[in-house]
Amino acid sequence: MQAAIGLLAEQGPSGIKARTVATASGLSTMVVYSHFGGIPELMRAVADRGFKELGRAFAQVPVTEDPIADLFAMALTCRRVARENPHLYDLMFGLSTRATYRPLSDADLRLSGHSPAFREAHAHITAACERLVGSGRVERQEPEAIAAQLWSVVHGYITLELAEHFVEFDDAVVQVLLPLGVNFSVGLGDSRARAEASHEAGARLYDSIVPGQ
């Protein structure tokens, strides 16, 4: 799996073949088939590894008294993970803009939303949304629905940024992602002033975890 992740980062999906993965691992091609069944199954395992790493990164974000700050710090964390290996991010979320992976025939096995690794990572988002609803800063609604909406917002931004749709901005995080998060929070019922302060706090919280980012 580590060899496949490295090949994804260096060569993209075209570099993932039984022969290249085996060579990078210092093993025979039979190992790929005997341990995984084939490249599609290996790619599913690699996607799960990606979600586990994302979950570990989310776990590094401290839980504070400001759930919106926590959520923005996690958004920035997700962006960092995606930028470190865009092709792995594509694989995890089933994107086709750069990925050309052959899907597994069983849809239940290839949908990342059914993966325990995905659910464990997503649980960090849901927990923060539960704290947000409990804080009284937003209108009462299902935390799971807020988490799904926020996931869509952040994932959409990351996907567009990776595809270089924000090159005209000097700092897309400051000019696009941060105000996007503020507008989302206001739409949920928070005041604009508090939402702006929380997002700035979230940026500082993230910077305390990953200085210089």
Side-chain angles (χ1 to χ4, degrees):
M1 285 192 288
Q2 284 301 122
I5 290 171
L7 287 169
L8 276 175
E10 295 170 6
Q11 302 178 25
S14 62
I16 306 300
K17 301 178 178 66
R19 175 180 52 79
T20 56
V21 172
T23 299
S25 304
L27 302 167
S28 71
T29 56
M30 284 305 298
V31 173
V32 175
Y33 298 103
S34 62
H35 282 272
F36 296 98
I39 290 297
E41 292 82 2
L42 172 61
M43 290 296 95
R44 187 180 70 210
V46 167
D48 281 348
R49 174 65 64 85
F51 281 120
K52 289 178 181 177
E53 292 298 327
L54 180 60
R56 278 192 279 269
F58 283 159
Q60 296 301 311
V61 178
V63 175
T64 73
E65 296 181 354
D66 188 337
I68 291 181
D70 299 350
L71 285 166
F72 190 57
M74 282 190 274
L76 294 173
T77 296
C78 189
R79 172 182 178 266
R80 184 189 78 242
V81 170
R83 288 167 62 88
E84 287 172 351
N85 193 336
H87 289 295
L88 175 58
Y89 187 80
D90 283 352
L91 174 65
M92 291 160 59
F93 289 96
L95 301 182
S96 58
T97 53
R98 288 174 296 279
T100 56
Y101 312 102
R102 178 168 60 87
L104 293 169
S105 58
D106 189 338
D108 287 339
L109 294 178
R110 64 185 177 87
L111 287 177
S112 61
H114 292 178
S115 163
F118 166 80
R119 293 187 179 279
E120 289 174 10
H122 194 259
H124 293 279
I125 305 294
T126 304
C129 289
E130 290 174 349
R131 297 196 301 273
L132 174 59
V133 173
S135 72
R137 289 180 59 176
V138 300
E139 296 176 4
R140 195 80 187 172
Q141 49 197 300
E142 291 296 326
E144 293 79 6
I146 297 176
Q149 294 168 41
L150 181 60
W151 192 258
S152 301
V153 168
V154 174
H155 178 57
Y157 169 86
I158 292 172
T159 302
L160 290 172
E161 187 184 40
L162 290 178
E164 300 182 350
H165 284 277
F166 300 139
V167 293
E168 69 272 22
F169 295 101
D170 295 328
D171 188 336
V173 169
V174 172
Q175 295 171 273
V176 180
L177 182 58
L178 191 149
L180 180 63
V182 170
N183 291 337
F184 180 78
S185 300
V186 172
L188 291 176
D190 198 19
S191 72
R192 181 164 295 276
R194 291 192 68 179
E196 289 175 348
S198 290
H199 279 75
E200 291 169 1
R204 292 192 297 271
L205 177 63
Y206 172 77
D207 193 53
S208 71
I209 305 167
V210 188
Q213 293 290 316

